[in-house]
Amino acid sequence: SLNNNGQTHSMMESSLRLTPFDALTVALWVYPETIYPDGGSIIDKGAVFSLDLLNLDGGSTPNDLQVRLITSDWVLFKAYAYNAVTTGDWQHLALTYDGVTAKLYHHGVLVGQEPITGLLNNYATNFYLGDGSEWEPFHGLIDEVKIWERALTASEITGEGGESSAIQLLAH
């Protein structure tokens, strides 16, 4: 597990450069220890995608999830899930993009979706876990980060991708 205390983060060089693509799945486990008023970035690939913990609904705690996806023609799309995350518990999160819709899952349950069209950007930028370019660092644990170059189905997300999807697993 990456123990991210808000002071550190993990960065992978831009070698995980995704060619313009029309499908993606990012799945990971998070254990938020503290959620700060300004939220935090869980995973961020700059001008390609990010998964952030924010206060979107004006509540007292930023426990809402936001997914940002940027297309190759620089159009920004966002999908949201409100009141999705709690502190002090392991939670499985997944985002998928199938060329038509971005979907956000919490413990295998669809909690947010947004129509999106276009190829995703392949901008060569670093890949961050626990920090990003726009929000505060994430405070907690991050584990089992997996990225596929295809959109997993809801049943595959419940089974964390299954054996059949290992061929298109890009990073783990």
Side-chain angles (χ1 to χ4, degrees):
S1 296
L2 169 66
N3 186 353
N4 199 57
N5 59 10
Q7 306 296 317
T8 62
H9 63 269
S10 179
M11 180 189 81
M12 291 183 277
E13 297 294 327
S14 61
S15 60
L16 182 62
R17 184 178 175 136
L18 305 168
T19 58
F21 55 101
D22 62 358
L24 170 74
T25 298
V26 177
L28 68 157
W29 286 89
V30 296
Y31 186 101
E33 293 173 345
T34 305
I35 302 176
Y36 289 94
D38 291 333
S41 186
I42 299 169
I43 188 168
D44 188 300
K45 178 87 168 99
V48 182
F49 67 86
S50 72
L51 178 58
D52 308 303
L53 186 59
L54 302 173
N55 186 353
L56 298 169
D57 61 2
S60 59
T61 305
N63 59 350
D64 308 314
L65 290 170
Q66 169 187 268
V67 172
R68 292 182 310 130
L69 295 168
I70 302 171
T71 63
S72 58
D73 55 355
W74 294 96
V75 176
L76 171 65
F77 292 93
K78 296 179 182 180
Y80 306 101
Y82 299 98
N83 299 309
V85 177
T86 59
T87 58
D89 190 23
W90 279 105
Q91 294 151 80
H92 187 260
L93 303 176
L95 73 92
T96 66
Y97 173 62
D98 62 5
V100 178
T101 305
K103 295 180 180 179
L104 183 56
Y105 294 86
H106 181 263
H107 286 304
V109 176
L110 179 65
V111 292
Q113 63 182 346
E114 184 71 26
I116 297 174
T117 56
L119 296 175
L120 293 179
N121 199 353
N122 72 336
Y123 190 72
T125 183
N126 292 329
F127 190 102
Y128 294 92
L129 293 176
D131 199 359
S133 57
E134 200 167 329
W135 312 110
E136 296 292 322
F138 173 77
H139 294 259
L141 303 171
I142 300 172
D143 203 4
E144 293 292 316
V145 178
K146 299 177 184 176
I147 301 171
W148 289 264
E149 198 172 20
R150 71 180 191 88
L152 298 183
T153 65
S155 62
E156 287 176 315
I157 287 170
T158 302
E160 293 184 12
E163 295 300 319
S164 65
S165 64
I167 294 171
Q168 293 176 309
L169 181 64
L170 294 178
H172 178 208

